Amino acid sequence: MTLLTQDIGENFAALTLSHLGREYPYKMDLVMGGPEDARPPQDHHPIFHGSFDWHSCVHGWWQVMRLKRLFPALAQGDAIRARGDAMLVPDKVAGELAYLHRPLSAGFERPYGWAWALALHQELALHDAPWADAFAPLAEAFAARFHAFLPKLTYPLRVGTHFNIAFALILTLGWAQTRDPALVALIRDKAIGWFGQDRACQAWEPGGDEFLSPALCEALLMSRLLDRADFADWFHAFLPDLARGEPATLFTPATVSDRSDGKIAHLDGLNLSRAWCWRGIAAALGPGAIADLAEKAARVHLDASLPHVAGDYMGEHWLATFALLALE
């Protein structure tokens, strides 16, 4: 397994700093209420107007801030600090909030971007800087949206793209565990209700544009909610044939046929996020044959896509975040 080193961190940080403020190309998540909404991305998003789209910019910020903390001597540390001091300030956060509170923005970035915003706030709070305090109103607004949304989400979103609810709740749970016990309880109640009786998962994946594994994200979420013994019982019922290498789809890295195609390039993200999930599941299970299989699967998936984090902007604007998850 490749280990996260300062050299790798510096490569990731340099890559991401190159596009955090790159305004074009940019894919807006915008429902226009009138001609006045036809404005440049920076007018709508004073902070998160780079990195091709809003959520990629948010988790790009998470990534560089995390690398700065993990490696205090990071070559880009001063540049990251300066960018944070310039951008993560109350008036720019207020601009992001104003967009969020537009009548036509109720579904904006739900739930993927919401969760990454909370993960970013959680990371900012670990730095000796005013950034987390400035960002808090935006984080609290997204937490409030989860409180309102989850009770009415009757059925889980099991897709392998941005709408996957298990992935979003993994990130949100980390934030809520130190700030919002009621949200922790809500996540636990909904997740166990949705997934607690799942058995013999077929893992019909991946779809052609997926960057998340519905099966493994669900399992990783459950590993965060159950104690070791209960999770082991649930997991062995959920994927009962792992010892035989089944479902084979979960052990086989996705083939990426065209990395210049933004949707097909998602499959590199699938390989990296599967590596992250497999490693987390192995840790939750503890030593044993299944954990060994999970670690081996993680290595195979990581090796398939780590070399392709850079090269084409369709992957370059976001893949380093998922590589960091997998390596860390």
Side-chain angles (χ1 to χ4, degrees):
M1 180 74 73
T2 301
L3 299 177
L4 180 63
T5 63
Q6 183 166 314
D7 285 346
I8 291 174
E10 288 176 350
N11 288 337
F12 288 173
L15 187 67
T16 301
L17 285 172
S18 74
H19 59 70
L20 274 184
R22 178 176 170 178
E23 193 169 6
Y24 298 105
Y26 192 83
K27 184 177 183 292
M28 286 289 294
D29 182 350
L30 170 66
V31 179
M32 294 179 64
E36 68 279 2
D37 287 335
R39 291 179 284 129
Q42 195 167 17
D43 286 4
H44 292 288
H45 298 301
I47 303 173
F48 303 119
H49 53 264
S51 303
F52 190 76
D53 51 32
W54 192 91
H55 51 257
S56 298
C57 198
V58 171
H59 66 64
W61 275 95
W62 172 87
Q63 179 219 125
V64 297
M65 288 296 178
R66 196 166 188 87
L67 289 169
K68 173 177 167 54
R69 180 173 58 82
L70 292 174
F71 300 106
L74 193 78
Q76 296 83 9
D78 289 345
I80 293 168
R81 174 83 194 209
R83 191 180 290 258
D85 287 344
M87 300 296 288
L88 301 174
V89 294
D91 66 314
K92 292 184 182 295
V93 171
E96 295 286 349
L97 269 173
Y99 187 87
L100 194 63
H101 291 322
R102 295 168 67 252
L104 294 173
S105 292
F108 171 71
E109 289 287 350
R110 184 179 78 190
Y112 183 77
W114 300 6
W116 272 119
L118 294 176
L120 173 58
H121 185 235
Q122 182 183 13
E123 178 59 39
L124 294 177
L126 300 175
H127 293 256
D128 182 17
W131 307 324
D133 287 344
F135 199 78
L138 193 59
E140 290 161 3
F142 283 119
R145 291 193 170 203
F146 272 114
H147 275 288
F149 176 59
L150 291 178
K152 64 184 180 182
L153 185 62
T154 305
Y155 311 105
L157 298 160
R158 298 178 183 267
V159 297
T161 54
H162 305 86
F163 306 103
N164 182 281
I165 195 63
F167 178 82
L169 293 186
I170 293 166
L171 298 184
T172 301
L173 185 65
W175 179 90
Q177 284 170 332
T178 59
R179 293 172 178 82
D180 193 335
L183 185 52
V184 173
L186 178 57
I187 290 170
R188 183 183 305 278
D189 179 69
K190 293 299 291 189
I192 291 175
W194 289 327
F195 306 130
Q197 298 304 311
D198 283 0
R199 300 291 185 267
C201 175
Q202 299 300 300
W204 287 320
E205 54 178 85
D209 68 348
E210 293 186 333
F211 64 95
L212 298 169
S213 163
L216 296 182
C217 284
E218 174 180 338
L220 186 60
L221 175 62
M222 293 297 279
S223 79
R224 305 286 175 89
L225 295 171
L226 302 174
D227 64 28
R228 174 166 286 183
D230 287 343
F231 173 65
D233 288 344
W234 177 88
F235 185 68
H236 293 313
F238 180 61
L239 290 169
D241 299 320
L242 285 185
R244 301 203 309 267
E246 297 292 341
T249 53
L250 295 182
F251 294 94
T252 308
T255 298
V256 187
S257 61
D258 183 357
R259 291 186 166 89
S260 69
D261 183 301
K263 295 294 188 180
I264 294 174
H266 276 179
L267 293 166
D268 273 321
L270 175 71
N271 289 335
L272 296 170
S273 66
R274 277 186 178 177
W276 170 64
C277 288
W278 275 126
R279 294 187 76 186
I281 290 165
L285 290 171
I290 299 300
D292 291 345
L293 284 174
E295 286 284 359
K296 181 179 179 181
R299 288 194 296 272
V300 170
H301 280 83
L302 188 61
D303 289 346
S305 286
L306 188 60
H308 304 291
V309 167
D312 189 281
Y313 196 56
M314 288 298 96
E316 202 167 90
H317 74 271
W318 66 281
L319 284 172
T321 293
F322 283 81
L324 179 56
L325 285 175
L327 290 176
E328 192 184 346

